[in-house]
Amino acid sequence: MVTYPLVVDLVFRALADPTRRALLDALFARDGQSVQALCALVPEMTRFGVMKHLEILEGANLVTTRREGRTKLHFLNPVPIQQVADRWIGKYAQPFTRALVDLQTDLEHRTA
Amino acid sequence: MVTYPLVVDLVFRALADPTRRALLDALFARDGQSVQALCALVPEMTRFGVMKHLEILEGANLVTTRREGRTKLHFLNPVPIQQVADRWIGKYAQPFTRALVDLQTDLEHRTA
DNA sequence: AGGATAAGTGACCATTTGGTCACATGTCAA
DNA sequence: TTGACATGTGACCAAATGGTCACTTATCCT
């Protein structure tokens, strides 16, 4: 059994949670946000929950931070995502697969 | 907060476990394997554990099955991976990010 | 028929995960 | 300097997850 490098594992685990993906999306839309600002985007959860998710993202190196006075700013680092895309996903996302996707999409839209 | 379609969530959750990724890799290397054959590749776990992982992969539509007599054959379906790559990962894996990856890789290899 | 082989089921368990809260610390600004 | 604001910490909890096992079902072969 092939065991993938730590970075692949950390990133996949980090991306497994929808809240964490949403946080990355938020930083993609607007980089360098504070904890507060990010909390506002996930009103169904307390600040503590959001902070834990941010920790995990930081642990996977998907987010970097910088303190600015009493606030902490969060920045997106897409490099690990790209690496996982290269090292693992790329194997499955090939031209042939793309053709399959198009075919399946086509079939799904034929309501006949 | 943007919630991603069910398929994205199912696939990310399914891919979060290293054993499941290893199973997909095994099917990528040799498609259409039986439960037994797949178990042999994960000797540190019993058949029941492997079966549970296969169920989850099937639930995410990453694996399809066909019964052949008393054995059950498993087939890789890469379409959902491609879809996730398109719908979510693609946003972060862009030419600019690639340049960052190359830069970082370069820096990592400079042992000066 | 009947034993060996392949896979399925449901109960069960330990650990991890996702989340909350009370409380502490650090920083700005009047 | 003191109060309001932004973040950090550790304990704690419920639920999901990853895994095992005893037992069952179905199929093949002689």
Side-chain angles (χ1 to χ4, degrees):
Chain A
M1 167 176 152
V2 182
T3 57
Y4 279 92
L6 191 60
V7 56
V8 173
D9 204 56
L10 276 176
V11 170
F12 267 122
R13 292 183 98 83
L15 296 184
D17 187 279
T19 301
R20 289 195 287 271
R21 291 196 302 275
L23 287 171
L24 290 181
D25 287 339
L27 291 180
F28 184 87
R30 174 185 247 267
D31 210 10
Q33 297 194 58
S34 68
V35 176
Q36 298 268 28
L38 292 170
C39 282
L41 304 177
V42 194
E44 69 274 16
M45 193 182 302
T46 67
R47 177 173 60 91
F48 309 102
V50 173
M51 279 177 61
K52 279 204 176 180
H53 285 303
L54 288 172
E55 270 175 37
I56 291 172
L57 290 172
E58 230 182 309
N61 198 30
L62 290 164
V63 162
T64 60
T65 63
R66 188 177 72 222
R67 262 208 104 112
E68 191 92 356
R70 63 181 155 178
T71 78
K72 185 179 187 180
L73 302 181
H74 297 74
F75 299 88
L76 171 66
N77 177 25
V79 169
I81 296 182
Q82 175 78 59
Q83 288 175 330
V84 166
D86 290 348
R87 299 188 195 172
W88 200 87
I89 296 172
K91 191 162 103 179
Y92 299 93
Q94 294 285 325
F96 178 67
T97 307
R98 167 154 301 289
L100 286 183
V101 173
D102 293 343
L103 178 61
Q104 179 167 312
T105 305
D106 187 46
L107 290 175
E108 280 170 354
H109 287 70
R110 280 188 204 209
T111 50
Chain B
M1 165 177 156
V2 182
T3 58
Y4 279 91
L6 191 59
V7 55
V8 173
D9 203 56
L10 277 177
V11 170
F12 267 122
R13 293 183 99 81
L15 295 184
D17 187 280
T19 301
R20 289 196 286 271
R21 292 197 301 276
L23 287 171
L24 291 181
D25 287 338
L27 292 180
F28 184 87
R30 172 186 248 266
D31 211 9
Q33 298 194 57
S34 68
V35 176
Q36 298 269 19
L38 292 170
C39 283
L41 304 177
V42 194
E44 69 274 17
M45 192 181 302
T46 66
R47 179 173 57 91
F48 310 101
V50 173
M51 279 177 61
K52 279 204 174 180
H53 285 303
L54 288 172
E55 272 175 36
I56 290 173
L57 290 171
E58 231 183 308
N61 198 29
L62 290 164
V63 162
T64 61
T65 62
R66 189 177 74 221
R67 262 207 104 114
E68 191 93 0
R70 65 181 154 179
T71 79
K72 184 179 186 179
L73 301 181
H74 297 75
F75 299 88
L76 170 67
N77 178 26
V79 169
I81 296 181
Q82 176 77 58
Q83 288 175 330
V84 166
D86 291 348
R87 298 188 195 170
W88 200 87
I89 295 171
K91 193 163 103 179
Y92 299 94
Q94 293 287 324
F96 177 68
T97 307
R98 168 154 298 290
L100 286 182
V101 173
D102 293 343
L103 177 62
Q104 179 167 313
T105 306
D106 186 46
L107 290 175
E108 280 170 353
H109 286 71
R110 281 191 202 206
T111 50

